[in-house]
Amino acid sequence: MTLLVLFGGLLLMLVMGFPVMVALGASSLAAILVDGSVPDFIVLHRMVGGMDSFPLLSIPFFVLAGALMNSAGITSRIFDFARALVGWMPGGLGHVNVGASVIFAGMSGAAVADAGGLGAIEIKAMRRAGYDPGFSVGITAASSTIGPIIPPSLPLVIYGVMASASIGQLFAAGLVPGLLMALSLMLMVAWYAVRYQYPRDVGFALSWIAFTFRRAFLSLLTPVIIVGGIVLGIFTATEAAIAAVIYAMLLGAVVYRTLTFKRLLAVTMETIETTGIIMMIIAASSIFSWLLTSHHVAENFANWMLAVTSNPTIILLLMTLILFVVGCFMETIAAITILVPILLPIAVNLGVDPVQFGIVMVLNLMIGLLTPPVGLVLYVLSQVSKVPFERCASATLPFLIPLLVVLMLVTFVPSISLWLPTLIYR
């Protein structure tokens, strides 16, 4: 009865349009009241306990660092450098779109920040060059999913806390899959360029590459500071996030002089709002996760899956399908906090490394950002591009193919994600 109230209440409130954090918290409280075996004040205790984690302090700082990069004009410098670097290829601006996302991924760690910041610049440039609006939105949406895979990554931080996994190893594990995503999308762009005769954007010129590199050099140091500091053991993830904020403020206010006090105040308020939402989801889901654990849901679910099949490949495919479907309907952070206690024990029992499973989970949920009905990235790009949501969704569909291919590779070839962390940490 307790689990029926828990899952039934959550599903009902989500269908009715309640915010995720309210649905998680209210269904958990109702389940506790129905169960009656523990006092109701355990809800507050678990909420506070869920947020009482040092690595979670990195979240507001990574959010703020990404917002400062967007506000200080740094994204335009990154776009210009990417344009000089790969814009000479057929379908030039499509390749630039992917290249800029790879670079920006090392700064923001969020798909929506990529779509909202770089996306506006990229779509405007592609529209001006005569590209089809659907293609422009599709490649922009698909490339934005690289952001949370290449370090730093907010979803990987949250997964690391939930799974008690090393955030440094998770960051290292995301680099090769992220680059594979970029390569697969660039191959897709090349195919489009041949089929539809998309033009080269600029000619190849080493002098222009050197000029834009010098102009963007200080911005490009941001991922070096963040990732290099963590990998070399200079920073924890939280300290690296703080360093990124300080560096971004210095660039915007002192070096480039594009960050005003008024804009800084606005960015800070946006960060507080975003962080508040994230932390409330984590707090509410911590009660939900505790109920799942105390009622042995993970163990029972594992037994059910093993009763269906004992083939590890089929079980991994089933978990991948579950993650994909959940990603279509639920916000990424809530999905991670709910599903980690259920699916991770099964994956570990199959011999899957928790670090590899973290990359598989986050990559799967990122693809969910490109699919209706939630499709948060699609909503952002629909607003930015003034293209109807339905057109954005249909135009993005072909770009799911290379992302799904990479997902399968990462799922069934562990060395893709584990090679770098093994080299550095083990």
Side-chain angles (χ1 to χ4, degrees), residues 16 31 73 94 119 133 211 233 239 249 252 259 266 272 298 304 317 320 335 356 369 371 411 420-421:
M16 292 174 66
F211 172 76
E239 292 163 348
M249 289 182 68
L259 184 64
I272 292 171
W304 172 80
L317 283 173
T320 300
Q356 180 201 356
L369 290 176
T371 55
T411 302
L420 194 56

Side-chain angles (χ1 to χ4, degrees), residues 11 28 37 70 96 131 146 153 174 200 220 254 314 324 327 341 426:
L11 182 61
S28 299
S37 61
N70 272 329
V96 172
Y131 284 79
I146 298 172
S153 165
R200 303 171 192 268
L220 297 174
V254 179
I314 296 176
F324 181 77
R426 300 177 185 179

Side-chain angles (χ1 to χ4, degrees), residues 190-207:
W191 180 83
Y192 265 92
V194 171
R195 181 173 180 180
Y196 297 104
Q197 297 298 303
Y198 285 143
R200 303 171 192 268
D201 180 51
V202 293
F204 180 80
L206 285 174
S207 58

